PDB file of all heavy atoms in Angstrom:
ATOM      1  N   ASN A  15    -138.319-189.075 -99.199  1.00 95.00           N
ATOM      2  CA  ASN A  15    -137.558-189.087 -97.984  1.00 95.00           C
ATOM      3  C   ASN A  15    -136.840-190.404 -97.817  1.00 95.00           C
ATOM      4  O   ASN A  15    -135.807-190.468 -97.106  1.00 95.00           O
ATOM      5  CB  ASN A  15    -138.541-188.806 -96.817  1.00 95.00           C
ATOM      6  CG  ASN A  15    -138.975-187.396 -96.721  1.00 95.00           C
ATOM      7  OD1 ASN A  15    -138.349-186.499 -97.240  1.00 95.00           O
ATOM      8  ND2 ASN A  15    -140.133-187.172 -96.058  1.00 95.00           N
ATOM      9  N   ALA A  16    -137.319-191.424 -98.348  1.00 96.00           N
ATOM     10  CA  ALA A  16    -136.711-192.770 -98.240  1.00 96.00           C
ATOM     11  C   ALA A  16    -135.340-192.706 -99.011  1.00 96.00           C
ATOM     12  O   ALA A  16    -134.391-193.529 -98.626  1.00 96.00           O
ATOM     13  CB  ALA A  16    -137.566-193.892 -98.851  1.00 96.00           C
ATOM     14  N   LYS A  17    -135.268-191.917 -99.985  1.00 97.00           N
ATOM     15  CA  LYS A  17    -134.004-191.811-100.798  1.00 97.00           C
ATOM     16  C   LYS A  17    -133.237-190.498-100.479  1.00 97.00           C
ATOM     17  O   LYS A  17    -132.188-190.273-101.137  1.00 97.00           O
ATOM     18  CB  LYS A  17    -134.339-191.859-102.295  1.00 97.00           C
ATOM     19  CG  LYS A  17    -134.956-193.166-102.750  1.00 97.00           C
ATOM     20  CD  LYS A  17    -135.261-193.169-104.202  1.00 97.00           C
ATOM     21  CE  LYS A  17    -135.832-194.466-104.738  1.00 97.00           C
ATOM     22  NZ  LYS A  17    -136.062-194.511-106.148  1.00 97.00           N
ATOM     23  N   ASN A  18    -133.703-189.737 -99.569  1.00 97.00           N
ATOM     24  CA  ASN A  18    -133.069-188.465 -99.251  1.00 97.00           C
ATOM     25  C   ASN A  18    -132.789-187.620-100.507  1.00 97.00           C
ATOM     26  O   ASN A  18    -131.754-187.032-100.701  1.00 97.00           O
ATOM     27  CB  ASN A  18    -131.705-188.722 -98.527  1.00 97.00           C
ATOM     28  CG  ASN A  18    -131.816-189.065 -97.049  1.00 97.00           C
ATOM     29  OD1 ASN A  18    -132.973-189.316 -96.609  1.00 97.00           O
ATOM     30  ND2 ASN A  18    -130.791-189.023 -96.349  1.00 97.00           N
ATOM     31  N   THR A  19    -133.765-187.581-101.281  1.00 97.00           N
ATOM     32  CA  THR A  19    -133.739-186.902-102.624  1.00 97.00           C
ATOM     33  C   THR A  19    -134.827-185.936-102.842  1.00 97.00           C
ATOM     34  O   THR A  19    -135.986-186.299-102.556  1.00 97.00           O
ATOM     35  CB  THR A  19    -133.622-187.970-103.720  1.00 97.00           C
ATOM     36  OG1 THR A  19    -132.454-188.835-103.538  1.00 97.00           O
ATOM     37  CG2 THR A  19    -133.492-187.286-105.099  1.00 97.00           C
ATOM     38  N   VAL A  20    -134.526-184.865-103.456  1.00 98.00           N
ATOM     39  CA  VAL A  20    -135.556-183.872-103.900  1.00 98.00           C
ATOM     40  C   VAL A  20    -135.372-183.723-105.412  1.00 98.00           C
ATOM     41  O   VAL A  20    -134.298-183.757-105.938  1.00 98.00           O
ATOM     42  CB  VAL A  20    -135.373-182.543-103.140  1.00 98.00           C
ATOM     43  CG1 VAL A  20    -134.036-181.867-103.326  1.00 98.00           C
ATOM     44  CG2 VAL A  20    -136.506-181.589-103.484  1.00 98.00           C
ATOM     45  N   TYR A  21    -136.532-183.536-106.055  1.00 98.00           N
ATOM     46  CA  TYR A  21    -136.595-183.455-107.477  1.00 98.00           C
ATOM     47  C   TYR A  21    -137.190-182.144-107.961  1.00 98.00           C
ATOM     48  O   TYR A  21    -137.976-181.526-107.262  1.00 98.00           O
ATOM     49  CB  TYR A  21    -137.404-184.622-108.054  1.00 98.00           C
ATOM     50  CG  TYR A  21    -136.935-186.019-107.651  1.00 98.00           C
ATOM     51  CD1 TYR A  21    -137.646-186.609-106.559  1.00 98.00           C
ATOM     52  CD2 TYR A  21    -136.020-186.650-108.324  1.00 98.00           C
ATOM     53  CE1 TYR A  21    -137.187-187.906-106.173  1.00 98.00           C
ATOM     54  CE2 TYR A  21    -135.588-187.940-107.962  1.00 98.00           C
ATOM     55  CZ  TYR A  21    -136.200-188.567-106.897  1.00 98.00           C
ATOM     56  OH  TYR A  21    -135.805-189.782-106.475  1.00 98.00           O
ATOM     57  N   LEU A  22    -136.874-181.772-109.198  1.00 98.00           N
ATOM     58  CA  LEU A  22    -137.520-180.618-109.808  1.00 98.00           C
ATOM     59  C   LEU A  22    -137.833-181.026-111.286  1.00 98.00           C
ATOM     60  O   LEU A  22    -136.904-181.168-112.064  1.00 98.00           O
ATOM     61  CB  LEU A  22    -136.632-179.368-109.716  1.00 98.00           C
ATOM     62  CG  LEU A  22    -137.315-178.138-110.261  1.00 98.00           C
ATOM     63  CD1 LEU A  22    -138.412-177.703-109.302  1.00 98.00           C
ATOM     64  CD2 LEU A  22    -136.275-176.991-110.433  1.00 98.00           C
ATOM     65  N   GLN A  23    -139.054-181.191-111.585  1.00 98.00           N
ATOM     66  CA  GLN A  23    -139.504-181.488-112.918  1.00 98.00           C
ATOM     67  C   GLN A  23    -139.801-180.152-113.598  1.00 98.00           C
ATOM     68  O   GLN A  23    -140.593-179.340-113.069  1.00 98.00           O
ATOM     69  CB  GLN A  23    -140.735-182.375-112.893  1.00 98.00           C
ATOM     70  CG  GLN A  23    -141.324-182.621-114.312  1.00 98.00           C
ATOM     71  CD  GLN A  23    -140.462-183.576-115.099  1.00 98.00           C
ATOM     72  OE1 GLN A  23    -140.122-184.576-114.715  1.00 98.00           O
ATOM     73  NE2 GLN A  23    -140.060-183.060-116.356  1.00 98.00           N
ATOM     74  N   MET A  24    -139.159-179.850-114.693  1.00 98.00           N
ATOM     75  CA  MET A  24    -139.284-178.600-115.389  1.00 98.00           C
ATOM     76  C   MET A  24    -139.823-178.814-116.722  1.00 98.00           C
ATOM     77  O   MET A  24    -139.218-179.605-117.524  1.00 98.00           O
ATOM     78  CB  MET A  24    -137.918-177.929-115.464  1.00 98.00           C
ATOM     79  CG  MET A  24    -137.233-177.718-114.034  1.00 98.00           C
ATOM     80  SD  MET A  24    -135.753-176.738-114.148  1.00 98.00           S
ATOM     81  CE  MET A  24    -134.707-177.816-115.102  1.00 98.00           C
ATOM     82  N   LEU A  25    -140.972-178.206-117.040  1.00 98.00           N
ATOM     83  CA  LEU A  25    -141.535-178.330-118.333  1.00 98.00           C
ATOM     84  C   LEU A  25    -141.557-176.950-119.035  1.00 98.00           C
ATOM     85  O   LEU A  25    -141.520-175.901-118.414  1.00 98.00           O
ATOM     86  CB  LEU A  25    -143.031-178.816-118.229  1.00 98.00           C
ATOM     87  CG  LEU A  25    -143.286-180.109-117.461  1.00 98.00           C
ATOM     88  CD1 LEU A  25    -144.747-180.335-117.340  1.00 98.00           C
ATOM     89  CD2 LEU A  25    -142.558-181.246-118.084  1.00 98.00           C
ATOM     90  N   ASN A  26    -141.707-176.983-120.338  1.00 98.00           N
ATOM     91  CA  ASN A  26    -141.808-175.778-121.127  1.00 98.00           C
ATOM     92  C   ASN A  26    -140.737-174.740-120.693  1.00 98.00           C
ATOM     93  O   ASN A  26    -141.008-173.572-120.413  1.00 98.00           O
ATOM     94  CB  ASN A  26    -143.186-175.159-120.968  1.00 98.00           C
ATOM     95  CG  ASN A  26    -143.527-174.042-121.913  1.00 98.00           C
ATOM     96  OD1 ASN A  26    -142.827-173.958-122.965  1.00 98.00           O
ATOM     97  ND2 ASN A  26    -144.461-173.248-121.639  1.00 98.00           N
ATOM     98  N   LEU A  27    -139.501-175.172-120.797  1.00 98.00           N
ATOM     99  CA  LEU A  27    -138.378-174.285-120.320  1.00 98.00           C
ATOM    100  C   LEU A  27    -138.234-173.118-121.250  1.00 98.00           C
ATOM    101  O   LEU A  27    -138.446-173.232-122.449  1.00 98.00           O
ATOM    102  CB  LEU A  27    -137.113-175.128-120.229  1.00 98.00           C
ATOM    103  CG  LEU A  27    -136.959-175.976-118.933  1.00 98.00           C
ATOM    104  CD1 LEU A  27    -136.016-177.077-119.114  1.00 98.00           C
ATOM    105  CD2 LEU A  27    -136.543-175.120-117.723  1.00 98.00           C
ATOM    106  N   LYS A  28    -137.816-171.992-120.699  1.00 98.00           N
ATOM    107  CA  LYS A  28    -137.625-170.774-121.395  1.00 98.00           C
ATOM    108  C   LYS A  28    -136.173-170.420-121.451  1.00 98.00           C
ATOM    109  O   LYS A  28    -135.375-170.829-120.604  1.00 98.00           O
ATOM    110  CB  LYS A  28    -138.414-169.604-120.725  1.00 98.00           C
ATOM    111  CG  LYS A  28    -139.907-169.982-120.567  1.00 98.00           C
ATOM    112  CD  LYS A  28    -140.721-168.862-119.873  1.00 98.00           C
ATOM    113  CE  LYS A  28    -142.145-169.197-119.830  1.00 98.00           C
ATOM    114  NZ  LYS A  28    -142.931-168.167-119.132  1.00 98.00           N
ATOM    115  N   LEU A  29    -135.822-169.645-122.469  1.00 97.00           N
ATOM    116  CA  LEU A  29    -134.390-169.199-122.676  1.00 97.00           C
ATOM    117  C   LEU A  29    -133.841-168.570-121.367  1.00 97.00           C
ATOM    118  O   LEU A  29    -132.724-168.840-121.016  1.00 97.00           O
ATOM    119  CB  LEU A  29    -134.352-168.184-123.807  1.00 97.00           C
ATOM    120  CG  LEU A  29    -134.595-168.745-125.174  1.00 97.00           C
ATOM    121  CD1 LEU A  29    -134.705-167.637-126.208  1.00 97.00           C
ATOM    122  CD2 LEU A  29    -133.541-169.732-125.601  1.00 97.00           C
ATOM    123  N   GLU A  30    -134.658-167.741-120.763  1.00 96.00           N
ATOM    124  CA  GLU A  30    -134.147-167.012-119.554  1.00 96.00           C
ATOM    125  C   GLU A  30    -133.976-167.931-118.352  1.00 96.00           C
ATOM    126  O   GLU A  30    -133.500-167.411-117.292  1.00 96.00           O
ATOM    127  CB  GLU A  30    -135.062-165.837-119.244  1.00 96.00           C
ATOM    128  CG  GLU A  30    -136.518-166.228-118.919  1.00 96.00           C
ATOM    129  CD  GLU A  30    -137.383-166.177-120.202  1.00 96.00           C
ATOM    130  OE1 GLU A  30    -136.839-166.404-121.277  1.00 96.00           O
ATOM    131  OE2 GLU A  30    -138.582-165.945-119.983  1.00 96.00           O
ATOM    132  N   GLU A  31    -134.297-169.180-118.425  1.00 97.00           N
ATOM    133  CA  GLU A  31    -134.153-170.065-117.302  1.00 97.00           C
ATOM    134  C   GLU A  31    -132.843-170.788-117.311  1.00 97.00           C
ATOM    135  O   GLU A  31    -132.550-171.732-116.555  1.00 97.00           O
ATOM    136  CB  GLU A  31    -135.315-171.032-117.211  1.00 97.00           C
ATOM    137  CG  GLU A  31    -136.606-170.225-116.841  1.00 97.00           C
ATOM    138  CD  GLU A  31    -137.880-171.044-116.853  1.00 97.00           C
ATOM    139  OE1 GLU A  31    -138.024-171.843-117.708  1.00 97.00           O
ATOM    140  OE2 GLU A  31    -138.639-170.740-115.930  1.00 97.00           O
ATOM    141  N   THR A  32    -132.013-170.454-118.312  1.00 97.00           N
ATOM    142  CA  THR A  32    -130.616-170.919-118.327  1.00 97.00           C
ATOM    143  C   THR A  32    -129.905-170.453-117.028  1.00 97.00           C
ATOM    144  O   THR A  32    -129.880-169.255-116.786  1.00 97.00           O
ATOM    145  CB  THR A  32    -129.874-170.449-119.591  1.00 97.00           C
ATOM    146  OG1 THR A  32    -130.475-171.055-120.674  1.00 97.00           O
ATOM    147  CG2 THR A  32    -128.426-170.782-119.510  1.00 97.00           C
ATOM    148  N   ALA A  33    -129.371-171.423-116.297  1.00 98.00           N
ATOM    149  CA  ALA A  33    -128.728-171.057-115.029  1.00 98.00           C
ATOM    150  C   ALA A  33    -128.155-172.350-114.467  1.00 98.00           C
ATOM    151  O   ALA A  33    -128.369-173.442-114.994  1.00 98.00           O
ATOM    152  CB  ALA A  33    -129.748-170.535-114.062  1.00 98.00           C
ATOM    153  N   VAL A  34    -127.378-172.183-113.405  1.00 98.00           N
ATOM    154  CA  VAL A  34    -126.957-173.280-112.586  1.00 98.00           C
ATOM    155  C   VAL A  34    -127.972-173.536-111.509  1.00 98.00           C
ATOM    156  O   VAL A  34    -128.322-172.575-110.792  1.00 98.00           O
ATOM    157  CB  VAL A  34    -125.564-173.113-112.017  1.00 98.00           C
ATOM    158  CG1 VAL A  34    -125.184-174.280-111.134  1.00 98.00           C
ATOM    159  CG2 VAL A  34    -124.586-172.883-113.051  1.00 98.00           C
ATOM    160  N   TYR A  35    -128.513-174.697-111.383  1.00 98.00           N
ATOM    161  CA  TYR A  35    -129.465-175.067-110.392  1.00 98.00           C
ATOM    162  C   TYR A  35    -128.920-175.761-109.280  1.00 98.00           C
ATOM    163  O   TYR A  35    -128.130-176.708-109.468  1.00 98.00           O
ATOM    164  CB  TYR A  35    -130.618-175.819-111.117  1.00 98.00           C
ATOM    165  CG  TYR A  35    -131.528-175.037-111.947  1.00 98.00           C
ATOM    166  CD1 TYR A  35    -131.081-174.493-113.160  1.00 98.00           C
ATOM    167  CD2 TYR A  35    -132.865-174.767-111.613  1.00 98.00           C
ATOM    168  CE1 TYR A  35    -131.872-173.727-114.076  1.00 98.00           C
ATOM    169  CE2 TYR A  35    -133.654-173.957-112.404  1.00 98.00           C
ATOM    170  CZ  TYR A  35    -133.113-173.488-113.626  1.00 98.00           C
ATOM    171  OH  TYR A  35    -134.008-172.691-114.400  1.00 98.00           O
ATOM    172  N   TYR A  36    -129.359-175.334-108.081  1.00 98.00           N
ATOM    173  CA  TYR A  36    -128.812-175.904-106.806  1.00 98.00           C
ATOM    174  C   TYR A  36    -130.036-176.322-105.928  1.00 98.00           C
ATOM    175  O   TYR A  36    -131.051-175.719-106.018  1.00 98.00           O
ATOM    176  CB  TYR A  36    -128.041-174.865-106.022  1.00 98.00           C
ATOM    177  CG  TYR A  36    -126.834-174.265-106.722  1.00 98.00           C
ATOM    178  CD1 TYR A  36    -126.959-173.087-107.506  1.00 98.00           C
ATOM    179  CD2 TYR A  36    -125.581-174.742-106.575  1.00 98.00           C
ATOM    180  CE1 TYR A  36    -125.861-172.579-108.179  1.00 98.00           C
ATOM    181  CE2 TYR A  36    -124.501-174.201-107.189  1.00 98.00           C
ATOM    182  CZ  TYR A  36    -124.685-173.081-107.985  1.00 98.00           C
ATOM    183  OH  TYR A  36    -123.538-172.485-108.598  1.00 98.00           O
ATOM    184  N   CYS A  37    -129.731-177.256-105.114  1.00 97.00           N
ATOM    185  CA  CYS A  37    -130.743-177.568-104.035  1.00 97.00           C
ATOM    186  C   CYS A  37    -130.093-177.237-102.718  1.00 97.00           C
ATOM    187  O   CYS A  37    -128.830-177.158-102.552  1.00 97.00           O
ATOM    188  CB  CYS A  37    -131.176-179.008-104.037  1.00 97.00           C
ATOM    189  SG  CYS A  37    -129.945-180.183-103.451  1.00 97.00           S
ATOM    190  N   ASN A  38    -130.913-176.949-101.759  1.00 97.00           N
ATOM    191  CA  ASN A  38    -130.465-176.631-100.378  1.00 97.00           C
ATOM    192  C   ASN A  38    -131.702-176.666 -99.493  1.00 97.00           C
ATOM    193  O   ASN A  38    -132.847-176.746 -99.958  1.00 97.00           O
ATOM    194  CB  ASN A  38    -129.701-175.337-100.298  1.00 97.00           C
ATOM    195  CG  ASN A  38    -128.564-175.459 -99.242  1.00 97.00           C
ATOM    196  OD1 ASN A  38    -128.810-175.920 -98.112  1.00 97.00           O
ATOM    197  ND2 ASN A  38    -127.386-174.919 -99.594  1.00 97.00           N
TER     198      ASN A  38
END
């Protein structure tokens, strides 16, 4: 919250997770 930032750590990614990722 101090940086107004949200993160997403993604491990063991799969082929089907190819996509454009958005936050909201």
Side-chain angles (χ1 to χ4, degrees):
N15 289 337
K17 296 181 178 180
N18 283 12
T19 300
V20 61
Y21 304 97
L22 186 68
Q23 176 70 54
M24 304 186 293
L25 304 177
N26 192 19
L27 281 159
K28 303 179 180 181
L29 291 169
E30 59 267 30
E31 291 175 320
T32 293
V34 179
Y35 285 69
Y36 302 87
C37 74
N38 213 315

